[in-house]
């Protein structure tokens, strides 16, 4: 019976010990001592001693009484600040080169460690008593600066490593509510002027990850960005174009053209979409506005030619095509459009000798510019030379005549 009682007592003692948290406060003191030794000469940090301090503090972050001590997290964060400074110094020495993956991981740890330090420092004890504030004045500004770098980490990784970018962006957004940032109005999400940029980075990462639908709401938020609104407008328009929703795409192109009148790409895309939607009046107005703003942009004159041709205003269409050809003679579609417009004009005024000659010259120029496009100029030249009573010249094009 005595043996049984002893055994039971041992089991009770073991259970009590198992429930009792590990008292590893002394290890924190050792880590602090090693860190103090490491920075004895601030200009020459002893990184071997610092590594010793890091090895001592690391397990204290996850277990025992130490994990609930503000000092534990302060020491861990302070170690990371020394590592950060070394990386920045090495960057200068290496001409701007840096291991940015390591640097951004370091910034994340500093925010995490100092935030936890501050949370514990501002958590009442069992009796409702608030600990004395000791660390916030030392760590708050560093935490603010490092948190800003999480935003940059999201941008830099958005394409090459979208998963990592999303992680950093979420950390940036979620950390705004940490106690260490309380009372700083400009860091609140509703006041944070950088949030539109963050939304653009997140949208870019989501697209790179293969989820363009999820990127759309973030692109909408990014329209408030000073730096990325232009890109967000273009990407939203492109998204809806690909979805076949040209009306919504049109809305974003219109916004882009209104907001960035010096950017011809928005004008071109607006003009092209209006034309494809058969909004010929709107397209013509945009074409005229673009010609006034960008007199050397052949696209606006070419599209005006298309609009006028579609409206059967062939003489005016020919004039627009020729203006586009004069600006940029390389694309053959302008001289083709001018020739075809003249042909259609001639069809209503067959006896106009001057117009016959002009049409012939335009088709000859078309032949010269695009000799491989004989299917479009061959028969026309045969007919024009025949009607001009030049059978010798017409003979060279007879093979293209469908009535041969």
């Amino acid at each position: 019976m005595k043996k049984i009682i002893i055994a039971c007592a041992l089991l009770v003692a073991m259970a009590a010990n198992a429930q009792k948290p590990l008292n590893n406060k002394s290890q924190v003191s050792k880590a602090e001592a090693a860190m103090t030794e490491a920075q004895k000469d601030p200009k020459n940090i002893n990184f071997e001693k610092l590594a010793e301090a890091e090895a001592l503090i690391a397990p204290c972050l996850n277990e025992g009484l130490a994990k609930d001590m503000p000092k534990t997290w302060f020491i861990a964060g302070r170690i990371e600040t020394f590592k950060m400074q070394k990386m920045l110094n090495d960057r200068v020495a290496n001409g701007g080169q840096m291991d940015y993956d390591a640097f951004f991981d370091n910034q994340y740890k500093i925010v995490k460690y100092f935030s936890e330090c501050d949370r514990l420092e501002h958590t009442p004890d069992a009796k409702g008593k608030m600990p004395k504030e000791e660390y916030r004045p030392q760590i708050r500004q560093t935490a603010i600066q490092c948190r800003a770098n999480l935003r940059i980490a999201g941008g830099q990784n958005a394409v090459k490593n979208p998963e990592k970018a999303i992680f950093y962006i979420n950390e940036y957004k979620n950390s705004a509510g940490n106690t260490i940032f309380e009372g700083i109005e400009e860091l609140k999400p509703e006041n944070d002027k950088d949030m539109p940029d963050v939304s653009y980075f997140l949208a870019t990462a989501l697209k790179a990850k293969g989820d363009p639908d999820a990127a759309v709401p973030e692109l909408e938020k990014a329209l408030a960005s000073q730096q990325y609104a232009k890109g967000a407008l273009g990407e939203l328009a492109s998204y809806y174009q690909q979805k076949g929703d040209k009306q919504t795409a049109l809305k974003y192109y219109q916004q882009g053209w209104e907001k960035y009148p010096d950017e011809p790409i928005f004008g071109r895309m607006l003009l092209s979409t209006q034309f494809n939607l058969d909004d010929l009046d709107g397209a013509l107005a945009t074409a005229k506005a673009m010609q006034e703003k960008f007199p050397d942009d052949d696209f606006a004159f070419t599209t005006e030619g298309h609009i006028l041709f579609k409206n059967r205003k062939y003489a005016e269409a020919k004039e627009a095509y020729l203006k586009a050809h004069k600006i940029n003679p390389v694309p053959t579609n302008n001289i083709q459009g001018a020739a075809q417009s003249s042909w259609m004009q001639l069809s209503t005024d067959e006896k106009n000798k001057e117009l016959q000659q002009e049409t012939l010259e335009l088709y000859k120029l078309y032949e010269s510019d695009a000799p491989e496009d004989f299917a479009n100029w061959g028969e026309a030249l045969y007919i024009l030379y025949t009607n001009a009573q030049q059978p010798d010249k017409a003979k060279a094009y007879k093979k293209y005549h469908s009535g041969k």
Side-chain angles (χ1 to χ4, degrees), residues 15 111 120 124 142 161 171 211 214 220 229-230 237 254 284 301 356 375:
V111 175
L120 291 169
T142 301
N161 194 335
E171 287 298 320
D211 193 358
E220 288 282 1
K230 188 192 304 181
Q254 184 74 54
L284 188 59
F301 289 100
Q356 285 181 5

Side-chain angles (χ1 to χ4, degrees), residues 250-265:
L250 182 72
K251 178 184 76 171
Y252 290 111
Y253 287 136
Q254 184 74 54
Q255 287 182 28
W257 175 236
E258 291 171 358
K259 191 171 182 178
Y260 303 102
D262 293 328
E263 294 289 340
I265 183 62

Side-chain angles (χ1 to χ4, degrees), residues 22-297:
L22 173 67
N23 188 350
N24 52 354
K25 292 181 180 181
S26 62
Q27 192 161 332
V28 174
S29 298
K30 292 176 183 177
E32 184 178 27
M35 185 179 72
T36 302
E37 181 70 21
Q39 58 177 318
K40 188 174 288 186
D41 179 0
K43 294 183 179 180
N44 296 285
I45 299 297
N46 185 332
F47 283 95
E48 288 186 9
K49 257 314 184 187
L50 198 69
E52 181 184 328
E54 185 175 16
L56 286 164
I57 206 68
C60 299
L61 302 176
N62 302 306
E63 62 183 13
L65 295 173
K67 69 181 176 60
D68 295 321
M69 294 168 52
K71 180 186 284 190
T72 303
W73 297 91
F74 170 76
I75 292 170
R78 192 83 177 94
I79 291 168
E80 292 297 328
T81 63
F82 288 123
K83 292 161 68 176
M84 172 184 71
Q85 194 56 55
K86 184 176 188 303
M87 282 189 270
L88 293 173
N89 291 341
D90 289 347
R91 179 174 179 266
V92 173
N94 294 330
Q97 297 298 314
M98 177 190 275
D99 182 349
Y100 280 99
D101 287 340
F103 178 73
F104 290 133
D105 182 58
N106 165 266
Q107 301 296 280
Y108 159 70
K109 286 179 179 177
I110 291 173
V111 175
K112 178 182 177 181
Y113 296 165
F114 281 170
S115 291
E116 184 62 8
C117 171
D118 190 83
R119 185 189 71 79
L120 291 169
E121 188 174 48
H122 293 84
T123 300
D125 61 19
K127 295 181 180 180
K129 185 180 179 181
M130 190 72 72
K132 181 183 177 181
E133 186 174 87
E134 178 183 357
Y135 299 109
R136 180 178 285 185
Q138 302 179 60
I139 65 177
R140 192 180 214 189
Q141 194 56 42
T142 301
I144 292 171
Q145 293 169 351
C146 293
R147 178 177 178 267
N149 284 329
L150 297 183
R151 181 183 73 247
I152 297 171
Q156 288 200 9
N157 284 283
V159 174
K160 67 177 182 179
N161 194 335
E163 291 284 0
K164 185 175 286 188
I166 292 168
F167 170 79
Y168 284 129
I169 289 168
N170 286 335
E171 287 298 320
Y172 177 83
K173 293 166 73 173
N174 295 336
S175 62
N178 293 357
T179 61
I180 197 169
F181 305 122
E182 65 184 3
I184 306 176
E185 292 298 314
E186 61 268 27
L187 295 188
K188 292 181 178 179
E190 63 270 22
N191 300 330
D192 188 345
K193 294 180 180 179
D194 291 314
M195 284 305 291
D197 291 5
V198 173
S199 291
Y200 186 76
F201 299 152
L202 181 54
T204 303
L206 289 167
K207 287 175 62 180
K209 189 182 171 185
D211 193 358
D213 294 343
V216 171
E218 298 303 325
L219 288 171
E220 288 282 1
K221 296 173 189 174
L223 294 178
S225 168
Q226 292 292 317
Q227 187 171 358
Y228 300 106
K230 188 192 304 181
L233 278 168
E235 290 178 41
L236 282 165
S238 177
Y239 171 84
Y240 285 107
Q241 280 277 24
Q242 292 174 15
K243 288 284 186 180
D245 186 352
K246 292 182 180 179
Q247 287 291 352
T248 303
L250 182 72
K251 178 184 76 171
Y252 290 111
Y253 287 136
Q254 184 74 54
Q255 287 182 28
W257 175 236
E258 291 171 358
K259 191 171 182 178
Y260 303 102
D262 293 328
E263 294 289 340
I265 183 62
F266 284 112
R268 290 173 189 163
M269 294 308 299
L270 173 62
L271 176 55
S272 178
T273 306
Q274 287 173 319
F275 182 76
N276 290 332
L277 286 170
D278 215 29
D279 178 13
L280 299 184
D281 290 341
L284 188 59
T286 302
K288 291 295 187 184
M290 283 196 67
Q291 289 166 15
E292 184 175 347
K293 187 75 177 175
F294 309 106
D296 293 329
D297 190 339

Side-chain angles (χ1 to χ4, degrees), residues 332-333 335-337 339-340 361-371 373-377:
T332 59
N333 63 314
I335 198 62
Q336 177 186 7
Q340 290 176 339
E361 289 173 359
L362 285 171
Y363 270 103
K364 284 297 291 177
L365 184 57
Y366 180 21
E367 177 192 14
S368 175
D369 284 358
D373 203 8
F374 52 82
N376 288 314
W377 49 252

